[in-house]
């Protein structure tokens, strides 16, 4: 719930704002102020997430107040609500979060609240638990629901390849050589760009952006951000937990996906499991 | 000291170089590309992942709103700054969700404010 308040010297502007916010279930309208001193007194004992300020008011202007508030309550997002467009440049300089032209519409206010909500979410956001399966076939499950990614074939393969690297930095060259081995460098890089775009978009749409990291000329996935049978199986191998190995090993590594780069990994797993079986 | 990487999206090479020259006076800012075509810019943006992309607003050849939308939908962490001689774009920057607006002509003070905000606190 976002705690908000508005300061405006015009009574009807306050009334309109109140009626617009009534339909929003995720906000709590904590105050309608027509005097800056009353707002400042309120803030001495109460906290707010957002303050909506008119700019042209008798006495202290919205600009002056925004400057003052950014010093005393830097955590509060300030939004200007005004009939004038010419203060927008100064508003940016004052780090004002948003600038809404009067009359305030529910649609425009929603946009502001969503932007602020997103910003706050990134701090307290708990990622959805993603589970990736690599043995038998590559599969992504979000909250137990399978996302086949069949419409994103290469993005799926890129994700699988990065998972197989187990969090290691992987250069563009390593990726293009694996995913487009017969393609010339320029075309392969172009494909990598499109594929990365699609993968990042899919991750972003599913609030999973945190599993993918990029730095200059390389990408990696972040193993701590998701569960994966590949990592579980490796742990089970280290611990010699044969029961768990038999549960996790449901088929060969990416068996049904037919990725050429995966064949050596399949062979390596087959060798390890044969060795383990031979020890029995 | 770590550099802050930035890119510029502007079809006018002269204006682009002039801005780049002013920003590069600050040691912490490093231009990693300037582009006049949207696709080229986006391609490089997603690969290089600069901290800031400066987009000229007011040229039909390069739609600033489209660039902003496409950068933000995939890489919301990248700060997008509109710059223009036309101050009306400052309001549009707010409407569309840009992170900052730099009015042109940019003097030392306005550039300094931009640097301080997005490029000055990386040590």
């Amino acid at each position: 719930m976002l705690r908000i308040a508005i300061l405006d010297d015009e009574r009807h502007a306050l009334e309109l704002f109140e009626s617009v916010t009534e339909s929003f279930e995720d906000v709590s309208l904590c105050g309608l102020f027509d005097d800056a001193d009353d707002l400042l007194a309120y803030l001495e004992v109460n906290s707010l997430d957002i303050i909506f300020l008119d700019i042209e008011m008798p006495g202290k202007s919205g600009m002056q107040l925004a400057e003052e508030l950014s010093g005393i309550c830097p955590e509060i997002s300030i939004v200007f609500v005004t009939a004038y467009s010419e203060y927008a440049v100064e508003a940016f300089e004052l780090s004002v979060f948003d600038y809404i032209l009067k009359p305030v519409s529910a649609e425009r206010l929603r946009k502001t609240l969503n932007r602020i909500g997103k910003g706050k979410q990134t701090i307290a956001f708990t990622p959805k638990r993603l589970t990736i399966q690599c043995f038998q076939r590559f599969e992504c499950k979000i909250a137990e629901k399978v996302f086949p990614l069949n419409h994103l074939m290469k993005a799926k393969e890129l994700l699988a390849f990065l998972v197989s690297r187990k969090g290691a930095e992987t250069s563009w060259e390593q990726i293009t050589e694996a995913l487009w081995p017969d393609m010339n460098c320029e075309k392969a890089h172009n494909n990598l760009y499109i594929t990365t775009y699609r993968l990042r978009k899919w991750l972003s749409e599913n609030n999973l952006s945190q599993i993918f990291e990029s730095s200059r000329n390389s990408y990696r996935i972040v193993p701590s951000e998701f569960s994966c049978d590949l990592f579980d199986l490796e742990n089970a191998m280290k611990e010699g937990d044969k029961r768990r190995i038999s549960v996790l090993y449901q088929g060969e590594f990416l068996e049904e996906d037919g990725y050429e780069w995966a064949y050596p990994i399949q062979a390596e797993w087959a060798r390890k499991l044969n060795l383990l079986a031979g020890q029995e | 000291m770590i550099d802050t990487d930035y890119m510029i999206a502007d079809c006018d090479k002269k204006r682009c170089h002039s801005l780049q020259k002013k920003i590069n006076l600050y040691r912490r800012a490093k231009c990693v590309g300037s582009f006049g075509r949207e696709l080229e810019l986006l391609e490089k943006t997603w690969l290089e992942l600069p901290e800031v992309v400066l987009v000229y607003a007011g040229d039909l050849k390069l739609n600033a709103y489209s660039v902003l939308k496409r950068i933000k939908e995939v890489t919301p962490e990248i700060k997008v700054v509109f710059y223009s001689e036309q101050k009306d774009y400052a309001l549009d920057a707010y409407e569309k969700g840009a992170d900052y607006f730099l009015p042109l002509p940019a003097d030392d003070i306005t550039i300094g404010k931009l640097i301080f905000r997005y490029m000055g606190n990386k040590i």
Side-chain angles (χ1 to χ4, degrees):
Chain A
M1 185 73 81
L2 291 167
R3 291 171 54 80
I4 67 170
I6 180 169
L7 170 67
D8 198 312
D9 62 311
E10 291 171 19
R11 188 80 217 156
H12 76 271
L14 294 176
E15 285 167 0
L16 175 68
F17 188 83
E18 187 179 25
S19 71
V20 169
T21 54
E22 265 171 9
S23 59
F24 297 141
E25 287 175 359
D26 55 342
V27 300
S28 162
L29 181 57
C30 303
L32 297 165
F33 300 95
D34 58 7
D35 184 275
D37 292 334
D38 290 347
L39 171 66
L40 290 170
Y42 177 84
L43 287 171
E44 278 176 19
V45 282
N46 297 285
S47 67
L48 289 171
D49 294 305
I50 316 167
I51 295 176
F52 294 84
L53 293 180
D54 184 18
I55 296 181
E56 295 202 349
M57 293 182 289
K60 209 172 271 180
S61 77
M63 287 283 176
Q64 289 169 313
L65 196 59
E67 204 166 355
E68 201 173 315
L69 287 170
S70 64
I72 55 175
C73 315
E75 71 286 359
I76 299 179
S77 302
I78 295 167
V79 176
F80 280 152
V81 182
T82 174
Y84 307 94
S85 63
E86 61 263 35
Y87 298 109
V89 174
E90 289 91 329
F92 269 115
E93 289 178 0
L94 284 171
S95 299
V96 167
F97 187 83
D98 209 346
Y99 192 104
I100 303 177
L101 281 184
K102 285 180 182 174
V104 181
S105 69
E107 193 188 4
R108 182 64 184 82
L109 191 59
R110 184 75 264 167
K111 208 191 244 184
T112 303
L113 296 171
N114 287 348
R115 282 180 195 158
I116 290 178
K118 260 187 200 169
K120 299 212 183 284
Q121 254 180 17
T122 54
I123 300 163
F125 178 64
T126 311
K128 267 183 205 171
R129 200 64 188 153
L130 169 71
T131 306
I132 293 179
Q133 177 188 309
C134 295
F135 286 87
Q136 192 177 13
R137 65 178 162 273
F138 190 78
E139 214 166 67
C140 292
K141 278 186 200 163
I142 303 167
E144 294 307 309
K145 188 183 165 206
V146 177
F147 282 72
L149 292 174
N150 290 336
H151 61 301
L152 297 168
M153 294 303 278
K154 272 293 173 188
K156 178 181 169 184
E157 187 177 351
L158 173 60
L159 182 59
F161 183 66
L162 292 173
V163 170
S164 79
R165 302 268 308 155
K166 296 177 275 188
E169 292 271 352
T170 308
S171 69
W172 300 346
E173 282 66 32
Q174 286 172 306
I175 298 170
T176 51
E177 275 169 25
L179 270 67
W180 298 278
D182 304 321
M183 205 172 273
N184 74 54
C185 185
E186 195 183 335
K187 205 168 172 203
H189 270 108
N190 196 34
N191 280 354
L192 175 60
Y193 143 70
I194 296 164
T195 306
T196 309
Y197 167 72
R198 288 182 178 149
L199 176 60
R200 291 187 71 130
K201 192 166 181 223
W202 180 78
L203 292 170
S204 162
E205 283 165 2
N206 290 287
N207 289 331
L208 294 167
S209 301
Q210 73 281 3
I211 78 156
F212 185 91
E213 278 185 1
S214 46
S215 51
R216 186 140 315 136
N217 303 337
S218 68
Y219 298 132
R220 69 183 282 265
I221 48 96
V222 184
S224 57
E225 295 289 342
F226 61 96
S227 311
C228 180
D229 58 351
L230 174 63
F231 310 148
D232 292 345
L233 197 54
E234 285 201 328
N235 287 336
M237 287 290 277
K238 271 183 211 157
E239 289 158 12
D241 186 342
K242 289 177 186 166
R243 193 196 58 80
R244 224 161 139 240
I245 293 168
S246 66
V247 170
L248 289 164
Y249 192 74
Q250 292 295 315
E252 288 191 52
F253 183 75
L254 302 175
E255 185 181 348
E256 293 178 15
D257 299 284
Y259 303 141
E260 273 184 37
W261 53 264
Y263 296 158
I265 306 172
Q266 279 177 13
E268 179 61 17
W269 274 104
R271 190 189 63 79
K272 279 184 197 173
L273 291 162
N274 279 338
L275 260 177
L276 193 74
Q279 286 167 6
E280 283 180 350
Chain B
M1 195 87 70
I2 303 165
D3 287 334
T4 297
D5 295 347
Y6 71 94
M7 280 185 185
I8 300 182
D10 194 337
C11 293
D12 186 324
K13 283 189 178 169
K14 202 176 152 193
R15 184 174 51 214
C16 177
H17 288 152
S18 155
L19 179 63
Q20 193 179 329
K21 211 170 137 189
K22 286 177 183 170
I23 294 175
N24 285 359
L25 289 175
Y26 294 81
R27 273 193 229 161
R28 294 174 195 177
K30 185 176 148 204
C31 185
V32 290
S34 56
F35 306 93
R37 284 174 47 227
E38 183 175 324
L39 189 63
E40 203 182 355
L41 168 85
L42 295 171
E43 227 174 85
K44 286 291 176 189
T45 302
W46 290 318
L47 290 175
E48 297 273 347
L49 293 173
E51 279 91 343
V52 181
V53 178
L54 294 137
V55 185
Y56 179 76
D59 192 331
L60 290 176
K61 282 180 263 176
L62 186 73
N63 188 324
Y65 307 132
S66 166
V67 170
L68 168 68
K69 186 172 173 257
R70 296 187 70 186
I71 290 177
K72 287 290 183 184
E73 73 185 6
V74 177
T75 44
E77 70 276 17
I78 294 179
K79 304 293 178 197
V80 178
V81 175
F82 278 4
Y83 68 99
S84 182
E85 301 87 358
Q86 300 166 59
K87 291 190 176 181
D88 291 350
Y89 282 107
L91 184 62
D92 288 347
Y94 267 120
E95 289 288 327
K96 303 291 179 189
D99 295 282
Y100 196 65
F101 178 80
L102 178 71
L104 294 183
D107 57 20
D108 288 351
I109 295 170
T110 49
I111 295 281
K113 283 177 181 169
L114 171 76
I115 300 286
F116 175 77
R117 187 175 299 256
Y118 293 119
M119 306 176 183
N121 54 359
K122 286 184 67 179
I123 295 173

